[in-house]
Amino acid sequence: VSGITRRVISGVNNYKAANKSECIINPNFTQSFLKKYMELKRKYGKNIQLTKPRIVYHWTYSKWFDSIKKIGLVVPDSKNGAVHKTDKGFYGKGIYTSPDHNYARCYGGGTDKVFVCLALT
């Protein structure tokens, strides 16, 4: 496990203990994330604005939680089993996240849970 992964897991575990949250870390997603992160580091060097992971939030109905935990946030209708979509989306088909945890709360259908994710932009 890399140093970055250990720091992320440590931070999530500390947050989880304080907020009674559930931590979901998929090893396959972690490896893909770290691979892409290292590609960006090689490409952009020390330009932290282009390589720094960002915290983003994804609100959705609780009925979709198990699917997201299992296969991740994937574009609907892809060949990996994701079929749900709430609408056509302002920017087209895809998965929407926001750096503002309240921005897309209305997409959660009243749930009090949100997916907190790391994203590379």
Side-chain angles (χ1 to χ4, degrees), residues 54-67:
R54 308 284 196 263
I55 294 174
V56 295
Y57 303 90
H58 177 75
W59 287 96
T60 191
Y61 289 88
S62 58
K63 66 182 179 181
W64 300 115
F65 287 6
D66 288 338
S67 174

Side-chain angles (χ1 to χ4, degrees), residues 24 29 58 60-61 64-73 115:
I24 305 158
F29 300 153
H58 177 75
T60 191
Y61 289 88
W64 300 115
F65 287 6
D66 288 338
S67 174
I68 292 171
K69 290 177 192 179
K70 182 178 178 183
I71 63 175
L73 294 174
F115 284 90

Side-chain angles (χ1 to χ4, degrees), residues 63-109:
K63 66 182 179 181
W64 300 115
F65 287 6
D66 288 338
S67 174
I68 292 171
K69 290 177 192 179
K70 182 178 178 183
I71 63 175
L73 294 174
V74 295
V75 176
D77 302 324
S78 60
K79 294 180 181 179
N80 54 19
V83 294
H84 172 68
K85 56 184 173 184
T86 55
D87 56 39
K88 293 181 181 182
F90 186 79
Y91 296 104
K93 186 182 354 179
I95 301 298
Y96 293 86
T97 62
S98 173
D100 178 348
H101 74 283
N102 283 312
Y103 178 75
R105 191 174 209 143
C106 62
Y107 287 96

Side-chain angles (χ1 to χ4, degrees), residues 33-67:
F33 182 90
L34 291 173
K35 180 180 177 184
K36 188 64 175 179
Y37 173 74
M38 295 311 292
E39 285 176 23
L40 291 171
K41 290 286 279 184
R42 281 191 297 278
K43 183 174 181 177
Y44 297 110
K46 295 183 181 184
N47 188 336
I48 196 163
Q49 295 304 317
L50 297 175
T51 60
K52 180 180 177 184
R54 308 284 196 263
I55 294 174
V56 295
Y57 303 90
H58 177 75
W59 287 96
T60 191
Y61 289 88
S62 58
K63 66 182 179 181
W64 300 115
F65 287 6
D66 288 338
S67 174

